[in-house]
Amino acid sequence: MIDKRIALLLGLWISLSASPGSGEIVALDRATLAAWEKRGPAGGQWAADGAGWVASAPDDAWWRLLVGGASRGDGAVVVRLRVTKPSPPGGRYDGPSFCRYTCGDRDGGYDAALLLRYQGPMAYYRIQVSTAYGEIALWKPTGGFLQVRPLAFKANESYEIRAEAAGPRIRAWVNGQVAVDYWDRADPVPAGRAGIGVYNAQVRCEELKLEDAAAAGEMPARGPSQFAMRPWRGMNWIFDGGEPIA
């Protein structure tokens, strides 16, 4: 007879191994796709074609796919994706109209995104990549662009992108290299669902995993500002490090 303590530990290990966020590889099939929640404009669609999920979002808006289940605080989503039809740059918030608090809400040129802590359209984090602009950006509805970094992101090439939330720290890696590292000191979103998004593009999702987040570490003291003027989105912007502020 198996010791009750051993059986209890074995059951706990099985439960943790099967739970989202502990290294679960998501099956990219029709059944799993049907269990995820789809949010987006008319005309957008996700489809399983036997070799992954293919997203087509023809409208000037984000087409989101949210993992089913309860919201989580700390966690990571890892996606291997390939942009097969890039999003055209510009859009309804181009030029001077881009200079508003909600800039980036609907913004062409960003092909795909990973979503963290999604509670609703006004509370979540979006880590998005762009072939047109050659960059990766962290965006939040109540803060706009929090960090923008250059990234040689090309169409028809496969990339592994990991987006992670641990406490107030939001990070992203592209092919194993740190691309975004941001501490949300002002108003962090505490918990929500993970997901992926596509904007006026066609994207193939080749692999998807839900994992635990690494420890955030100790929040560093706020250092001196790093103001610099640089061209971005057709205008001159003042950046503080990687954050466009004015």
Side-chain angles (χ1 to χ4, degrees):
M1 182 176 181
I2 301 177
D3 188 278
K4 290 183 178 180
R5 292 171 297 178
I6 296 177
L8 179 62
L9 290 173
L10 180 61
L12 178 62
W13 178 84
I14 293 173
S15 175
L16 290 174
S17 298
S19 63
S22 57
E24 176 190 355
I25 298 177
V26 178
L28 301 183
D29 54 24
R30 288 183 176 85
T32 306
L33 180 60
W36 284 46
E37 182 180 351
K38 303 165 188 66
R39 295 189 182 183
Q45 65 176 356
W46 288 83
D49 68 352
W53 289 347
V54 178
S56 177
D59 294 324
D60 193 15
W62 282 99
W63 180 239
R64 306 182 185 97
L65 185 65
L66 302 174
V67 63
S71 68
R72 303 178 65 235
D74 295 353
V77 55
V78 185
V79 175
R80 178 168 292 281
L81 59 78
R82 182 190 307 267
V83 175
T84 55
K85 183 181 178 181
S87 174
R92 66 185 70 184
Y93 291 151
D94 201 15
S97 62
F98 184 73
C99 303
R100 60 177 66 191
Y101 186 71
T102 56
C103 72
D105 178 28
R106 295 186 177 184
D107 184 34
Y110 292 97
D111 310 297
L114 274 64
L115 312 179
L116 295 170
R117 295 178 176 171
Y118 188 93
Q119 297 181 358
M122 291 304 295
Y124 69 103
Y125 297 101
R126 189 174 72 213
I127 293 176
Q128 54 197 48
V129 291
S130 169
T131 57
Y133 304 131
E135 66 186 29
I136 184 171
L138 169 61
W139 185 88
K140 179 184 173 186
T142 55
F145 284 94
L146 303 180
Q147 195 167 94
V148 179
R149 300 290 188 188
L151 176 69
F153 191 77
K154 299 179 181 180
N156 298 308
E157 293 190 12
S158 182
Y159 295 87
E160 182 185 81
I161 305 174
R162 175 188 175 91
E164 176 180 286
R169 192 178 192 182
I170 309 300
R171 287 181 284 183
W173 292 258
V174 178
N175 291 343
Q177 302 297 314
V178 177
V180 169
D181 192 348
Y182 184 84
W183 292 86
D184 192 352
R185 302 171 186 268
D187 184 27
V189 180
R193 298 160 70 187
I196 47 183
V198 175
Y199 193 102
N200 200 8
Q202 290 182 358
V203 177
R204 175 179 292 276
C205 180
E206 300 171 337
E207 186 177 86
L208 177 60
K209 293 184 289 185
L210 302 173
E211 297 182 346
D212 290 328
E218 184 176 352
M219 182 183 294
R222 189 183 298 274
S225 298
Q226 299 176 328
F227 295 133
M229 184 78 73
R230 80 185 219 201
W232 183 59
R233 303 303 304 276
M235 302 175 64
N236 289 324
W237 283 71
I238 298 174
F239 275 72
D240 184 3
E243 182 176 2
I245 60 175

